[in-house]
Amino acid sequence: MENPLHPVLARVTQRITRRSADSRAAYLAGVDAMLRRKPAQERMGCANLAHAYAALPGADKFRVVAEKGPNIGVVTAYNDMLSAHQPYQGYPALLRDEAARLQVSVQVAGGVPAMCDGITQGTPAMELSLFSRDTIAMATAVALSHDVFDGVLLLGVCDKIVPGLLIGALHYGHLPCVFVPAGPMGTGLSNRDKSKVREQYAQGLVGRDELFRAESAAYHGPGTCTFYGTANSNQMLLEAMGLHVPGAAFAPPGSAAREEFSRAALRTVLDIGARGPRFTPIGRLVDARCIVNAMAALLATGGSTNHLIHWVAIARSAGVLIDWSDFDELSGAVPLLARVYPNGEADVNQFQAAGGPAWVLRELLDNGLMHADVLSVNAGGIAAGAQGAPAVPGDDSVLRPVRRPFSATGGLRLLQGRLGRAVIKVSAVPEERHVVQAPARVFDSQEALLAAFNAGELRQDMVAVVRFQGPQANGMPELHKLTPPLGVLQNQGFQVALVTDGRMSGASGKVPAAIHVTPEALAGGALALLRDGDVVRVDAVAGTLDVLVDAAEWSARTPCAGPPPALTGFGRELFHNMRRHAGGAEQGACTWL
């Protein structure tokens, strides 16, 4: 018998469904209109079809044109700059081999750009990072615009790449879609040891040679980075949404299991195609319940804060409207079941060995903390993702059951107060640091904070405020480069917190950080009113973000204009319209609305 849904999940889902009634109905009407069309072989002109199939081998062309057989499009984020995406080089050949066996056609519909935040972190190019998500969504739409596909395989793993592919796919909601991951690299230098060397370098205790050796020991081969940042959170959420072949997330690149998962993805997209037994277009699959399942999985595993932006945008693409209050309420009911770095010592390979996504999904389903009655690309429904999970976790320092969690609540909290609305990831921060009240040190760039640290000016209790880092100001770069110096100050015994309208890496932890502050400083946010010495209180227990300044003085202040942003160089001028049209962080920082 199916376990009853937890009342908080039921309440949040009902609220989202009511809020989204009009937008979801309009979205589904568009999906249905596309589904009423004739097959491509009948509705398109002969010249159009001839162009589309010109490069197909003769047998494939006959099957597609004469027999009107399935033609599966592949959208790939392959490049050999990203370790996570380098394995995709051989996937088209693998998929064509499987297609030949099944007597269907596969075409690479297009490629999408994929940049690495690990490479661009702390550089001007990071200002392109968030908006690369929407660029990827547009590139996905361009790839699918040829309109001759019966289903789509989406090849991508990392930070903005999966959200971008998913947003693009949802704008072709009439097509069945399956995501095809590539897996994590093998375990190298531990994340804790890597972070320790970074902090030693920030203090001048080791040089660049030793730092590079440590970094190279951590990032050493094909596959995703092994910490539980945005990239690996992506894979957990796709499993929870039923968009993967079950268990595909963390099989290593080059393994027999990885090849079989990739071949199974093609068989699966055929099964859920219009000619298959379980027609399931992605626009019908991704509904309010599916989105809530993703949110629950994120909270239960202490996943990346970036998804409080990305999944708002993804949901919006399917006509589903969510906000940070929904995440916050769910976080009060969904316990923390995983300890994976930065929320613990383990990496994703150890997480997988302990039971991985399958074990987490089963625990959530068995305790009414996910919707079981949802569509999935898998014949067994969403519960298929939990099949094969061990009865108990292989390592209870990595995974724990709902009855004995690491924390009774999820890893994320909403903060709100005079400084606006923000989010904080508490799962990686010890309880004694959940409240920080200290004088503000206000900076208008991360470079200014780093310069002050290097000059020895920050040896004090403080709330470091880095403002003018929002979507409209400079594209909302991640500020992960600030973690080592702030961690050093914390280790020296100072009370330290960060407040910013920018983002932090999904790998960030340790230092309490109120991030994504909205409204951002450039758009009239209260961060523009702060001055050095103002006492700021970051309180993850009460859920508040306040400044302790007399009300009359506060209301009399004039906002700081901030420095003029650097809008040229590194291609930043090409993204001007994206910055100008970007919504706020809580609205998903969408640039197309």
Side-chain angles (χ1 to χ4, degrees):
M1 190 171 105
E2 198 171 286
N3 291 306
L5 191 65
H6 191 288
V8 172
L9 268 79
R11 182 168 63 247
V12 172
T13 305
Q14 289 166 3
R15 183 171 68 233
I16 292 169
T17 301
R18 287 194 301 270
R19 183 193 302 144
S20 310
D22 292 342
S23 54
R24 180 65 177 169
Y27 175 79
L28 290 175
V31 170
D32 290 343
M34 294 293 280
L35 290 173
R36 286 194 293 270
R37 302 179 306 158
K38 293 180 179 180
Q41 296 91 333
E42 298 176 25
R43 72 173 181 269
M44 297 185 73
C46 292
N48 304 73
L49 292 174
H51 277 289
Y53 304 136
L56 280 179
D60 282 3
K61 188 179 298 186
F62 177 80
R63 280 194 291 264
V64 172
V65 178
E67 298 180 345
K68 299 180 183 177
N71 185 35
I72 303 303
V74 175
V75 181
T76 178
Y78 163 72
N79 65 48
D80 59 14
M81 172 65 72
L82 275 72
S83 62
H85 289 183
Q86 184 270 349
Y88 284 132
Q89 181 176 15
Y91 277 44
L94 175 69
L95 294 169
R96 288 192 187 98
D97 180 71
E98 185 68 11
R101 192 181 69 79
L102 300 171
Q103 296 192 327
V104 299
S105 175
V106 165
Q107 290 182 293
V108 175
V112 302
M115 66 181 286
C116 177
D117 290 356
I119 298 171
T120 57
Q121 195 68 245
T123 75
M126 175 53 75
E127 296 182 15
L128 278 58
S129 172
L130 178 60
F131 294 151
S132 75
R133 181 199 70 192
D134 293 5
T135 304
I136 291 162
M138 291 187 288
T140 302
V142 170
L144 299 180
S145 67
H146 298 110
D147 200 24
V148 293
F149 305 112
D150 298 281
V152 185
L153 296 177
L154 297 148
L155 278 56
V157 179
C158 285
D159 296 14
K160 277 74 50 196
I161 293 89
V162 163
L165 288 168
L166 184 46
I167 290 167
L170 285 167
H171 283 83
Y172 282 79
H174 62 290
L175 291 173
C177 298
V178 177
F179 277 79
V180 186
M185 69 176 68
T187 298
L189 180 71
S190 76
N191 290 292
R192 291 291 181 195
D193 288 343
K194 174 193 67 182
S195 296
K196 188 181 300 181
V197 177
R198 287 179 176 178
E199 290 184 3
Q200 290 171 337
Y201 179 76
Q203 297 173 84
L205 301 177
V206 300
R208 280 180 60 89
D209 288 348
E210 187 166 345
L211 177 62
F212 183 71
R213 280 195 296 272
E215 299 285 1
S216 296
Y219 309 115
H220 57 85
T224 56
C225 308
T226 60
F227 56 80
Y228 194 55
T230 311
N232 288 317
S233 297
N234 281 337
Q235 306 314 303
M236 181 71 225
L237 270 59
L238 290 177
E239 294 261 0
M241 295 173 76
L243 288 170
H244 272 173
V245 174
F250 298 128
S255 65
R258 173 56 59 205
E259 178 176 334
E260 175 51 30
F261 279 128
S262 301
R263 290 180 181 272
L266 178 57
R267 299 195 295 270
T268 299
V269 82
L270 293 169
D271 284 347
I272 62 173
R275 298 170 177 82
R278 300 183 294 110
F279 180 51
T280 311
I282 191 171
R284 291 180 181 168
L285 187 157
V286 179
D287 61 9
R289 298 167 303 166
C290 178
I291 293 294
V292 168
N293 281 354
M295 297 161 76
L298 180 75
L299 294 164
T301 55
S304 171
T305 50
N306 278 320
H307 291 323
L308 275 79
I309 300 174
H310 294 322
W311 249 254
V312 173
I314 288 164
R316 184 64 181 262
S317 298
V320 178
L321 308 180
I322 62 174
D323 60 29
W324 293 346
S325 294
D326 299 323
F327 279 98
D328 189 56
E329 188 169 350
L330 289 172
S331 188
V334 178
L336 184 67
L337 306 181
R339 284 285 187 202
V340 191
Y341 188 86
N343 307 311
E345 298 295 331
D347 68 8
V348 293
N349 295 310
Q350 293 164 299
F351 170 60
Q352 175 73 359
W359 197 88
V360 173
L361 295 181
R362 192 187 63 197
E363 275 297 296
L364 294 176
L365 287 165
D366 286 353
N367 289 275
L369 294 168
M370 284 181 69
H371 293 272
D373 58 336
V374 291
L375 293 173
S376 167
V377 303
N378 307 304
I382 194 69
Q387 291 175 359
V392 294
D395 184 342
D396 69 0
S397 72
V398 180
L399 284 174
R400 287 190 185 171
V402 167
R403 68 179 183 277
R404 190 171 56 88
F406 292 105
S407 169
T409 61
L412 298 168
R413 287 296 313 272
L414 170 68
L415 304 179
Q416 49 191 337
R418 293 170 76 182
L419 294 179
R421 284 164 69 88
V423 295
I424 185 169
K425 184 174 183 176
V426 294
S427 57
V429 179
E431 288 187 8
E432 63 269 20
R433 296 176 186 152
H434 286 189
V435 179
V436 176
Q437 180 174 310
R441 287 297 307 270
V442 183
F443 303 94
D444 293 342
S445 71
Q446 62 178 324
E447 292 78 14
L449 188 154
L450 291 169
F453 172 83
N454 290 331
E457 299 173 3
L458 301 183
R459 293 177 56 79
Q460 63 179 94
D461 292 345
M462 69 168 181
V463 174
V465 177
V466 185
R467 60 190 181 186
F468 298 103
Q469 305 298 306
Q472 292 183 25
N474 61 356
M476 205 178 186
E478 287 186 346
L479 306 175
H480 186 43
K481 201 171 183 178
L482 301 180
T483 300
L486 294 178
V488 167
L489 295 171
Q490 190 171 258
N491 291 344
Q492 292 171 346
F494 298 111
Q495 275 201 87
V496 180
L498 174 69
V499 174
T500 181
D501 49 9
R503 296 184 295 136
M504 289 295 282
S505 165
S508 298
K510 186 175 180 179
V511 176
I515 59 176
H516 308 171
V517 176
T518 186
E520 64 176 285
L522 189 69
L527 292 189
L529 298 173
L530 278 176
R531 305 289 184 263
D532 272 342
D534 290 345
V535 176
V536 172
R537 183 177 177 87
V538 179
D539 189 336
V541 178
T544 57
L545 179 62
D546 275 314
V547 57
L548 308 184
V549 173
D550 177 76
E553 178 188 343
W554 185 253
S555 61
R557 285 187 181 177
T558 302
C560 172
L567 302 179
T568 59
F570 289 84
R572 286 176 289 188
E573 55 271 38
L574 297 173
F575 288 74
H576 170 69
N577 276 336
M578 286 189 161
R579 289 189 298 271
R580 188 172 70 173
H581 292 291
E586 190 171 5
Q587 289 72 48
C590 300
T591 61
W592 70 86
L593 299 174

